[in-house]
Amino acid sequence: MAASRPAPASEARSSAIMAAGTLVSRALGFVRSWMLIVALGLGATVADTFVNANNLPNLIFLLVAGGVFNAVLVPQIIRASRAPDGGADYISRLLTLGVLVMLGLTAAVTLAAPIVMQLTTAGYSQQQLALATVFAYWCLPQIFFYGLYALLTQVLNAHGAFGPAMWAPIVNNIVAIGGLGMFIWIFGASAANPHTLDSWTPLHTVLVAGVSTLGVVVQTALLLIPVHRLRLGLRPAFGWRGVGLGQAARLGAWTLATAAVGQLTFLYVMKIASLPGAERERLRAAGDPAWQGIPGNTVLEIASQLYLLPHSIIALSLATVLFNRMTKASQEGDRRGVREALSHGLRTMAVATVFSALALFALAAPLGMFFSGGKASDGVMLAQTLSILALSTPFMSANFMMARVFYANEDARTPFFIQLWLAGLNVAGAFGIQYLPPRYIIFAIAGLYTVGNIFSVVISGHYLRRLLGHLDGAHVARSYIRMGYAAAGSALVGAAAVALLGGYSPDGFIWSSSWAALVAVAAIGVPMFAVYALLLRAFRVTELRDLVGPILGRLGSRGGTPASSADDAGAAARPADRPAPVRPEVETLSDDTGIIPRISGQFDPSMYRARPDTTRIEVLPGRRTFQGPPGQNPHFPEQ
């Protein structure tokens, strides 16, 4: 058998393009969120109403069709693309089916917008429910374009074109930012000219909700260009009997169930999260100043975006590097190899996530003020919510890494049971939270997700110990403790700096303006990182080198460690006389199945990126096992 080869330069360039696109898109996403707050206000009723409606398309797509796309259509597209013709006819049929399904789903949900808003909100007045329904009419058509985007992304990925799907969301954010900029230019910022239900007009709706949907349309339309350049000859094609969709659906049944449970739970929690905004509007209309101290779901949305950032950059990158290594060890029945890969991932990831947790906690005040739109009372509520969420960052990323072991073991059933445990916790918690005073509901939901992240590690660890025997717990715990000491020292420095800049005083410098808060974040964050790096060295934390390598590898650095390097190491460790066992081809699934409690409803294109290819080479290769063009059989090359 031929030895594994390092990833070619083209793959490194693809990784660099994808990583750069993701980072730029996330940066623009924060700019978009900041402009939304400047335009509407963090504590404004119209902002909460819009966030609720604008999150619905993504949530409904994931609930009804997302699991089908990830578990059924995506594997079929990837498998068909390996045919000599690129799978043109087969992919045409799947695309036709997907488009028709999405059109029907979108039309049905959009027509039922009034009912949908009643089911997903609680306590709204007739006036607020009416505006929410108008927003829904404008936003729900996004469902169709999310579905088409997901399909086109997989067609491109299957043919080695990874960049367009990562860069298209940048244009989406630019369009939305442009619309919000026009809104501020025409109607003024919320701080100078508060926008209420009484002053809201159709033009307001077009610039906020209409342009938001336009951005999704443009994002999807851009993918048509690179798909056309593939020259697959795609066309409408009907007749889907005998194409294997039923079998694929049965194989992906556990994945579908896991996604459905996760999204239904999230929708219920978001319904409870809409209660404070309704009560705040009632108090505002009655002239009661207490309304200014009640956080709404926009506060939770912005806090969740900040809290998820370290996970999305660090954990996702590292999991991509280690997944092939886990898969190979699992296929060979090497429990020790799987355990070592998991231990390595948990410890390496913690270098960033433990620091991020305490850094977000220490910098919650300036971050809250910056994203408050200039209103200190809103900034305090955001800082409090972020403080609650931040400390569970390492647990969320750890659970994500632990879940990769189940997928590497081709086990979609255990994640479903883990999701059931989490769903029970979240539903029971949200049911009790609704009876709290309105000002505490958002804080309690943030606390619920923090408890859920911790609980998910406990329950995942229980199932993994049954699978692996043990989890190298002593080694992992020692590393986390040393990193925790280093991060705590850094956080103390940050907290002292925040205090010096007035972060704990109502009239301090940090609370004077959004720009003062941004200056404080930059001025405090750099010394915090420097102190953390020095303390890591003092505590002899060697995992820092392991973290930097994979990230540089994903960014295309020559000094990085590409995913294939881990595979090479695993192959080298296997005895030469022990070939990899022959096993059926694995269904290629998206890694996002809802096992992690979702907080933000924002659409993330990375969830439709297929997991690393795990196709195995046959032990006894021959001409019959190769289905490609003549003369290109790697086992019998033409001389």
Side-chain angles (χ1 to χ4, degrees):
M1 292 181 63
S4 300
R5 293 188 298 268
S10 61
E11 291 183 11
R13 285 195 298 270
S14 296
S15 295
I17 292 172
M18 291 166 64
T22 300
L23 291 174
V24 173
S25 178
R26 292 190 187 283
L28 288 176
F30 278 109
V31 174
R32 174 179 179 173
S33 297
W34 180 76
M35 290 195 66
L36 177 67
I37 300 308
V38 171
L40 302 183
L42 184 61
T45 300
V46 290
D48 286 346
T49 308
F50 170 70
V51 167
N52 247 358
N54 197 46
N55 280 345
L56 275 179
N58 185 32
L59 296 174
I60 293 175
F61 168 69
L62 290 174
L63 173 64
V64 180
V68 176
F69 278 40
N70 288 344
V72 181
L73 297 185
V74 168
Q76 301 294 89
I77 289 175
I78 292 178
R79 199 170 293 112
S81 67
R82 296 167 181 160
D85 66 344
D89 179 72
Y90 194 87
I91 294 176
S92 293
R93 295 178 186 277
L94 291 180
L95 285 177
T96 302
L97 176 62
V99 167
L100 292 177
V101 169
M102 295 311 303
L103 276 176
L105 172 63
T106 304
V109 174
T110 303
L111 290 175
I115 299 174
V116 171
M117 293 311 303
Q118 287 179 352
L119 292 175
T120 56
T121 60
Y124 277 18
S125 65
Q126 289 298 320
Q127 187 180 17
Q128 188 177 3
L129 186 60
L131 180 60
T133 304
V134 172
F135 281 146
Y137 278 126
W138 282 92
C139 294
L140 287 174
Q142 296 172 19
I143 296 173
F144 171 77
F145 296 99
Y146 283 151
L148 183 57
Y149 177 90
L151 287 171
L152 295 178
T153 294
Q154 292 307 324
V155 173
L156 291 170
N157 286 358
H159 289 84
F162 300 99
M166 294 298 104
W167 286 90
I170 294 176
V171 181
N172 179 1
N173 283 323
I174 291 174
V175 171
I177 289 170
L180 293 170
M182 292 182 62
F183 182 98
I184 296 171
W185 180 53
I186 297 173
F187 299 109
S190 174
N193 184 25
H195 305 292
T196 65
L197 295 176
D198 297 327
S199 63
W200 199 260
T201 67
L203 183 57
H204 288 80
T205 300
V206 170
L207 292 177
V208 176
V211 174
S212 177
T213 297
L214 177 62
V216 179
V217 175
V218 173
Q219 168 184 287
T220 304
L222 286 176
L223 292 193
L224 295 174
I225 299 173
V227 169
H228 176 71
R229 289 176 178 172
L230 293 177
R231 302 188 182 278
L232 295 175
L234 300 178
R235 67 195 187 284
F238 303 89
W240 304 294
R241 291 181 62 87
V243 297
L245 292 179
Q247 175 66 12
R250 286 188 291 274
L251 291 173
W254 289 108
T255 302
L256 300 178
T258 304
V261 170
Q263 297 310 315
L264 282 172
T265 303
F266 184 66
L267 281 171
Y268 176 70
V269 175
M270 289 298 96
K271 178 182 177 74
I272 304 303
S274 68
L275 284 169
E279 178 64 14
R280 187 181 57 214
E281 177 61 21
R282 188 188 68 80
L283 293 176
R284 188 197 66 80
D288 189 337
W291 71 271
Q292 300 183 64
I294 301 177
N297 55 354
T298 305
V299 171
L300 183 62
E301 176 75 15
I302 301 300
S304 71
Q305 291 182 27
L306 292 168
Y307 146 81
L308 290 169
L309 184 62
H311 167 79
S312 60
I313 293 177
I314 303 301
L316 291 179
S317 299
L318 193 60
T320 300
V321 172
L322 291 175
F323 185 79
N324 274 349
R325 179 175 163 188
M326 291 181 181
T327 301
K328 182 169 293 186
S330 177
Q331 291 166 358
E332 296 171 0
D334 182 6
R335 294 202 305 175
R336 179 180 177 183
V338 175
R339 186 165 51 242
E340 289 176 350
L342 174 61
S343 174
H344 173 75
L346 291 174
R347 290 181 286 107
T348 304
M349 180 176 60
V351 175
T353 58
V354 171
F355 170 73
S356 298
L358 292 176
L360 287 173
F361 185 82
L363 296 174
L367 286 171
M369 183 59 192
F370 176 70
F371 284 97
S372 70
K375 190 174 181 180
S377 60
D378 290 346
V380 170
M381 294 187 293
L382 177 56
Q384 292 169 332
T385 307
L386 178 59
S387 298
I388 298 170
L389 289 172
L391 295 180
S392 69
T393 298
F395 296 95
M396 180 182 66
S397 296
N399 182 59
F400 181 83
M401 185 65 70
M402 294 166 83
R404 301 312 95 193
V405 177
F406 298 119
Y407 300 132
N409 201 49
E410 303 174 31
D411 177 11
R413 183 177 178 180
T414 301
F416 171 75
F417 291 116
I418 296 175
Q419 187 68 76
L420 280 182
W421 282 103
L422 291 174
L425 172 68
N426 289 324
V427 170
F431 181 81
I433 287 172
Q434 67 180 314
Y435 297 106
L436 293 176
R439 66 170 300 182
Y440 299 118
I441 287 180
I442 294 299
F443 301 145
I445 291 176
L448 176 64
Y449 277 109
T450 295
V451 172
N453 283 325
I454 297 173
F455 178 70
S456 65
V457 171
V458 174
I459 192 68
S460 294
H462 168 73
Y463 283 104
L464 283 176
R465 276 190 293 272
R466 293 168 55 181
L467 176 67
L468 302 177
H470 68 88
L471 304 180
D472 196 21
H475 191 186
V476 173
R478 285 194 298 268
S479 296
Y480 271 71
I481 290 172
R482 291 199 301 269
M483 295 171 201
Y485 284 146
S490 173
L492 287 175
V493 172
V498 169
L500 289 174
L501 293 177
Y504 306 122
S505 174
D507 55 353
F509 170 75
I510 284 177
W511 302 106
S512 60
S513 69
S514 294
W515 299 113
L518 182 61
V519 170
V521 171
I524 299 171
V526 174
M528 284 183 65
F529 182 78
V531 170
Y532 182 62
L534 290 174
L535 290 176
L536 286 179
R537 186 178 182 86
F539 286 113
R540 299 180 181 179
V541 177
T542 60
E543 287 83 3
L544 179 61
R545 294 192 301 269
D546 298 328
L547 173 67
V548 173
I551 293 177
L552 292 179
R554 190 181 181 192
L555 293 175
S557 171
R558 294 183 180 182
T561 304
S564 60
S565 297
D567 297 340
D568 295 342
R574 185 176 65 243
D577 59 348
R578 183 159 60 95
V582 182
R583 297 180 63 176
E585 184 175 353
V586 180
E587 296 294 325
T588 306
L589 306 176
S590 166
D591 283 336
D592 188 330
T593 59
I595 191 171
I596 299 173
R598 297 182 59 84
I599 299 178
S600 175
Q602 289 291 326
F603 179 79
D604 187 351
S606 64
M607 69 175 59
Y608 298 105
R609 189 185 308 157
R611 74 186 189 186
D613 188 12
T614 58
T615 304
R616 269 78 63 192
I617 300 176
E618 298 285 344
V619 174
L620 298 174
R623 294 187 183 275
R624 291 186 178 182
T625 65
F626 179 72
Q627 302 298 324
Q632 296 186 19
N633 189 333
H635 308 301
F636 295 90
E638 300 293 335
Q639 299 296 333

